[in-house]
Amino acid sequence: MTAAVELEPNPLFEGLRSARVPAPCCVVIFGASGDLTRRKLVPALYALAAEGTLPAGFTVIGAGRTHMSDEEFRNTMRNDVQRFGRLPVDDDIWSAFAQGLRYVTYDLDARDGLDPVRRALDEADRTRGTARNRVIYFSVPSTAVLLLAERLHAAGLHEDSRSSFCRVVIEKPFGRDLETARELNRSLHQFFREDQIYRIDHYLGKESVQNLLVFRFANGIFEPLWNRQYIDHVQITVAESMGIEARGAYYEQAGALRDIVQNHIMQLMAIVGMEPMPNFQAETVRDEKVKLLRAVRPIHPDDALSHTVRGQYAGGWVDGERVPGYREEKDVAPGSLRETYVAMKVDIDNWRWAGTPFYLRTGKRLVKRATEILIQFRRVPHSPFGGSIAMPMGGLPPDAIDPNLLVLRIQPEEGITLRFSAKVPGQAMRIRSVNMDFLYGSAFLKQSPEAYERLLLDCMLGDATLFAREDEVEEAWRLCTAILDGWRAHPPDQAHCPNYEAGTWGPPEADAFMARDGRTWHRP
Amino acid sequence: MPMTASGSAVQRHAHASGLHALSSALANLHRDALRASGDEEAQVRLSVVNIVAACNDATLATRAADTVVGIAARHPARALVIVGDPTAPLHIESDISLVETGVGRQYVELIRLEIGGEPAYHLSSIVMPLLIPDIPLHLWLVGAPPLTQAFRADAVAMCDRVILDTGAYDDAAETLQMIAREFDVHGASLSLNDIAWQRTRPWREAVAIAFDGPDVRPWLHRVVGVEIGRRMAARRMAGVTSDVARERRPGHRREQHPGRRRERR
């Protein structure tokens, strides 16, 4: 395999508003008839086309196991873009975009099963000028990833050169535990170099997550406060009001820890906690994230129960609708003990964070959909307003002053909130907390791009900053695998499972878990 | 989105069916307000409280909405004014308004919700997702609704304060007794404001002033009798005033009542 060579920046783009247009290329989507392609990938590619960020001759080859003509594929995709896309379909733009849409069938069981894909790629190179530049998207079940990688390699579709690129995009799960993740990485490296592998975590493509990097490293006022001296603790919440939808079979194998904590939450924690990087190059950003993950204090399996809380939802009411319990969902065993909620405490053993814990939680069928990072600052050491009437939250003494909070909201209402104390207008000295919300979503009149738009474009451009590297994945698994081992040794008691009602903020044990440390969960 | 001016307050309105449409309608109203202002940097929302006003009928809802807008400059809030009717056909309809508070370019977010059918028994599943995070939630029981739902453990846990008007109930004395029992059950986790008590404020101030001077203060502890009229407000005031006076008497040891101490009068 030849190492890819970075081309010099195209001088003709100098002074142009958007220099982020990739070289002519072809995106091959394996699993083109699946949900991800229909709901996310093709709508994202269309949005990029509509915004003028795709190169001339850009081509999409949908590869699936079901038979479909090019025309049928185009019609289906048009309907899906109309239904799921961020932008309405414009006839002229669609017409140009659809010229580059092809569909082929493939068969992984046959040694020559990728020949139709190779022929379609050759044709695109010849007729649309895609110059052997390829992004290959693995939208296939995790069980098929290695076989597909092997077949691509055998068919020579893994090759790049000094003047062309070949990158593969792989969706989570990246293994089921540390050992399988290492094995997956080892196996993938037989067929692709690490710099060709783009492990996608769509959370990292969200505007608000990128804004978090800007917030931390482009604002000098926060950095001096961003440490154990001023921050009491950090809470990261990924709450979902949805259940498991039609993913019962997957979820029975995965659970909340593997599905959300190992990837999305660990990535958010790394970004919040990492040291400032010298530049915004992919390797330097990822180096800093890995350093943070390595500083996480290991949890011994025997301590897993005291550092975590597991939960499973029963039926209840969410958004004014009655919803079933987890065990009543399709493809879920009636006596399943699989966790749909996790709360945990993470200690980070480094100079910046020692003694400032990170509390992480995620759950299905909670009160609302909300992802946020909450930074709780330490209280003022002494209140000079003793005897004044304050209005603290959370059952504090009436003259207590609420600590300052900084909340970075990822979804659904992207923004930043700063909570501070202020005097209530009037003669008396009354203090109350005021929330100052910066509504990121509505502050900029331009609509934010979808996460997949950003990530697909980055991949075409060869920018891996927002993709997970093999060592990031393995470090995240190191912590999660110890917890899984501990849980396996101590399965939940059937009598206490399920242990939270749908439409609540999780099991009461999670509140007790925080109360043990003299803290409370905040309400997202 | 329609925009109207009521008095000096600029209002923006939208209607939505269902909860998901409500959230997008509210975001669109903010975007419209921003577009109209022509100032992208101005989009900061200040808020100190979530107010949930539970009403029995549309007339009370209108009165509650007017009150929320009236206090908005002092208490910038997101207010949910809810009329729930479990006997009505299933529906969740909302009217959303952004009303300028008159302070800078701040708005009160007023959401009037009509809920019919079984969801009306499960209001917390509708209300909770709509709250502004990390600021207190005040539940205002408008009129004289049955209090059983408001004092359920989950409702008490959810609310930072319950606001009611014992004066609106036919039998205020019985209502007060019921509230006292609830304090016994919930203790310090229940925080309560009684509008009827606030209504006696001018009278309390007048009585306090009457005993304020150095010449008259000694007489405070020599009051041997009070004639109380038939009105409940007079009885309420006399009761609490004598309680306070007794508590302040030198050498008096008050019987502690953990729950009652939390009542903000």
Side-chain angles (χ1 to χ4, degrees):
Chain A
M1 282 183 282
T2 320
V5 170
E6 273 190 36
L7 291 175
E8 281 182 13
N10 183 344
L12 298 178
F13 277 119
E14 195 176 314
L16 293 177
R17 189 178 59 87
S18 171
R20 286 175 55 83
V21 175
C25 63
C26 182
V27 172
V28 186
I29 303 173
F30 283 93
S33 51
D35 246 20
L36 183 71
T37 306
R38 300 177 51 207
R39 286 171 180 265
K40 298 289 182 189
L41 300 182
V42 172
L45 290 170
Y46 172 76
L48 290 172
E51 296 199 333
T53 36
L54 291 184
F58 176 75
T59 302
V60 179
I61 298 173
R65 288 185 302 177
T66 49
H67 287 275
M68 208 186 312
S69 69
D70 287 348
E71 211 44 47
E72 284 171 317
F73 183 60
R74 285 174 191 143
N75 290 338
T76 308
M77 290 302 118
R78 181 177 173 129
N79 289 339
D80 290 332
V81 170
Q82 194 93 49
R83 193 167 158 208
F84 302 115
R86 176 171 66 87
L87 304 174
V89 174
D90 176 284
D91 285 339
D92 291 341
I93 296 169
W94 177 261
S95 172
F97 179 70
Q99 280 179 20
L101 274 182
R102 294 276 328 267
Y103 184 85
V104 294
T105 50
Y106 74 98
D107 179 7
L108 278 187
D109 296 330
R111 293 193 69 80
D112 58 355
L114 296 189
D115 280 356
V117 178
R118 185 169 47 198
R119 282 196 295 273
L121 279 165
D122 290 344
E123 190 187 329
D125 290 340
R126 217 171 39 248
T127 61
R128 296 184 60 81
T130 47
R132 296 181 68 81
N133 290 324
R134 280 135 203 196
V135 168
I136 300 173
Y137 203 109
F138 285 39
S139 181
V140 295
S142 56
T143 47
V145 166
L146 280 180
L147 182 57
L148 176 57
E150 186 185 338
R151 292 278 188 253
L152 285 166
H153 187 267
L157 295 176
H158 65 295
E159 287 174 353
D160 55 6
S161 68
R162 295 177 71 83
S163 57
S164 67
F165 61 79
C166 175
R167 301 173 188 132
V168 291
V169 184
I170 297 177
E171 283 275 344
K172 72 175 174 107
F174 312 121
R176 285 183 47 76
D177 52 29
L178 179 58
E179 195 44 51
T180 53
R182 280 179 175 156
E183 180 54 37
L184 177 65
N185 284 335
R186 268 197 299 270
S187 303
L188 280 173
H189 288 158
Q190 292 174 20
F191 311 117
F192 297 96
R193 296 186 314 275
E194 178 61 22
D195 67 87
Q196 288 182 290
I197 301 171
Y198 286 65
R199 294 174 193 82
I200 195 166
D201 179 340
H202 72 272
Y203 255 61
L204 295 183
K206 289 179 184 292
E207 280 286 300
S208 41
V209 173
Q210 296 162 56
N211 197 32
L212 173 56
L213 288 162
V214 174
F215 181 84
R216 273 204 65 194
F217 302 122
N219 293 290
I221 59 170
F222 295 108
E223 178 54 26
L225 309 178
W226 211 261
N227 57 53
R228 61 186 300 279
Q229 265 187 301
Y230 297 98
I231 294 178
D232 178 74
H233 72 277
V234 177
Q235 293 182 18
I236 300 179
T237 301
V238 177
E240 296 181 75
S241 57
M242 284 193 323
I244 53 165
E245 306 297 293
R247 300 192 306 154
Y250 161 76
Y251 212 83
E252 278 285 87
Q253 296 300 312
L257 189 79
R258 289 188 178 97
D259 191 41
I260 302 288
V261 176
Q262 186 275 334
N263 35 71
H264 303 326
I265 291 189
M266 289 290 157
Q267 285 290 336
L268 292 178
M269 183 177 78
I271 293 173
V272 172
M274 72 187 196
E275 295 300 313
M277 61 279 181
N279 56 46
F280 201 57
Q281 299 293 317
E283 294 315 311
T284 44
V285 173
R286 298 195 293 185
D287 284 346
E288 293 304 333
K289 285 199 284 177
V290 170
K291 275 189 221 166
L292 188 283
L293 292 171
R294 284 191 180 134
V296 170
R297 186 183 303 167
I299 296 175
H300 191 277
D302 290 346
D303 298 329
L305 294 191
S306 62
H307 280 71
T308 63
V309 173
R310 286 172 286 186
Q312 187 191 89
Y313 63 85
W317 283 77
V318 176
D319 288 343
E321 288 178 17
R322 181 188 290 284
V323 297
Y326 175 70
R327 292 175 176 187
E328 299 153 51
E329 303 272 14
K330 190 168 172 281
D331 297 328
V332 171
S336 171
L337 296 171
R338 178 56 65 204
E339 88 282 359
T340 60
Y341 176 97
V342 183
M344 59 195 283
K345 178 182 176 182
V346 171
D347 293 297
I348 297 174
D349 289 332
N350 67 12
W351 196 266
R352 187 184 286 268
W353 296 115
T356 293
F358 281 54
Y359 296 96
L360 319 175
R361 65 173 164 167
T362 184
K364 293 278 184 193
R365 287 286 187 222
L366 301 184
V367 169
K368 66 193 275 196
R369 173 175 170 250
T371 299
E372 66 170 41
I373 297 154
L374 181 141
I375 316 287
Q376 180 165 323
F377 291 90
R378 296 194 187 281
R379 287 177 193 283
V380 290
H382 165 71
S383 168
F385 306 106
S388 303
I389 301 168
M391 301 170 170
M393 294 177 66
L396 294 167
D399 60 348
I401 294 178
D402 287 324
N404 293 116
L405 296 183
L406 179 68
V407 188
L408 307 155
R409 301 190 197 288
I410 309 294
Q411 64 180 17
E413 200 179 35
E414 299 174 24
I416 293 167
T417 297
L418 181 65
R419 186 175 84 179
F420 55 92
S421 293
K423 180 182 176 299
V424 180
Q427 300 295 339
M429 177 57 82
R430 302 174 75 202
I431 299 165
R432 83 191 308 183
S433 290
V434 180
N435 267 22
M436 190 168 72
D437 294 325
F438 170 63
L439 307 175
Y440 186 73
S442 49
F444 298 102
L445 297 175
K446 188 175 184 293
Q447 234 182 1
S448 295
E450 289 283 331
Y452 279 95
E453 293 172 37
R454 169 67 194 249
L455 294 172
L456 284 167
L457 183 62
D458 278 2
C459 182
M460 288 182 240
L461 288 161
D463 181 351
T465 310
L466 300 176
F467 294 83
R469 207 169 56 189
E470 60 170 323
D471 46 358
E472 279 178 77
V473 171
E474 290 177 11
E475 285 303 325
W477 270 123
R478 181 175 58 83
L479 178 69
C480 293
T481 302
I483 294 168
L484 288 167
D485 289 345
W487 283 359
R488 203 173 300 116
H490 304 281
D493 183 355
Q494 274 286 3
H496 292 102
C497 188
N499 60 352
Y500 72 96
E501 197 180 321
T504 65
W505 279 117
E509 292 88 333
D511 293 330
F513 177 73
M514 285 295 263
R516 223 167 50 200
D517 287 355
R519 299 184 172 104
T520 54
W521 293 110
H522 285 266
R523 185 182 67 215
Chain B
M1 305 283 177
M3 188 181 92
T4 60
S6 162
S8 60
V10 177
Q11 301 196 16
R12 293 173 183 279
H13 301 290
H15 180 86
S17 297
L19 284 183
H20 296 295
L22 193 166
S23 300
S24 1
L26 184 58
N28 286 340
L29 285 183
H30 275 293
R31 200 168 281 131
D32 284 353
L34 182 66
R35 201 167 277 136
S37 76
D39 182 2
E40 289 194 9
E41 293 173 0
Q43 191 57 6
V44 171
R45 175 180 65 198
L46 287 177
S47 33
V48 298
V49 67
N50 290 293
I51 298 173
V52 175
C55 310
N56 275 350
D57 59 52
T59 314
L60 288 173
T62 302
R63 201 186 304 160
D66 289 346
T67 305
V68 166
V69 172
I71 62 170
R74 194 173 162 82
H75 304 282
R78 174 174 290 178
L80 307 172
V81 178
I82 301 176
V83 181
D85 182 0
T87 62
L90 181 71
H91 69 280
I92 300 179
E93 296 293 325
S94 56
D95 284 303
I96 309 131
S97 310
L98 286 188
V99 186
E100 270 194 8
T101 63
V103 179
R105 209 178 292 138
Q106 293 302 316
Y107 294 92
V108 59
E109 299 168 311
L110 178 62
I111 300 166
R112 279 184 67 148
L113 269 164
E114 269 192 28
I115 299 158
E118 207 184 350
Y121 286 122
H122 302 275
L123 291 179
S124 67
S125 77
I126 295 165
V127 167
M128 291 291 278
L130 297 174
L131 301 177
I132 295 178
D134 294 315
I135 54 172
L137 164 59
H138 292 184
L139 172 63
W140 176 18
L141 306 169
V142 186
L147 293 175
T148 41
Q149 206 172 352
F151 290 127
R152 274 174 38 178
D154 57 342
V156 169
M158 184 172 93
C159 301
D160 296 276
R161 191 171 301 177
V162 177
I163 301 166
L164 49 68
D165 183 359
T166 54
Y169 289 84
D170 289 339
D171 191 339
E174 188 188 311
T175 307
L176 285 168
Q177 281 169 9
M178 179 207 172
I179 290 169
R181 286 195 296 275
E182 295 297 339
F183 272 119
D184 289 337
V185 172
H186 299 291
S189 56
L190 176 59
S191 178
L192 197 95
N193 273 95
D194 185 357
I195 293 171
W197 174 245
Q198 290 299 323
R199 233 177 257 126
T200 65
R201 186 185 178 110
W203 295 102
R204 283 185 285 134
E205 283 176 350
V207 172
I209 289 166
F211 286 99
D212 201 36
D215 298 341
V216 289
R217 177 67 60 82
W219 292 101
L220 180 59
H221 301 303
R222 294 179 200 167
V223 175
V224 293
V226 177
E227 189 173 331
I228 304 169
R230 293 175 65 185
R231 293 185 59 175
M232 189 60 205
R235 289 156 66 186
R236 184 182 293 110
M237 185 182 144
V240 179
T241 305
S242 65
D243 192 36
V244 171
R246 191 167 53 242
E247 191 182 347
R248 299 286 185 272
R249 189 173 294 166
H252 175 78
R253 287 187 61 195
R254 190 180 189 220
E255 202 174 311
Q256 291 295 305
H257 194 307
R260 196 169 296 230
R261 279 191 302 154
R262 287 284 295 169
E263 185 170 8
R264 295 175 197 272
R265 289 161 172 160

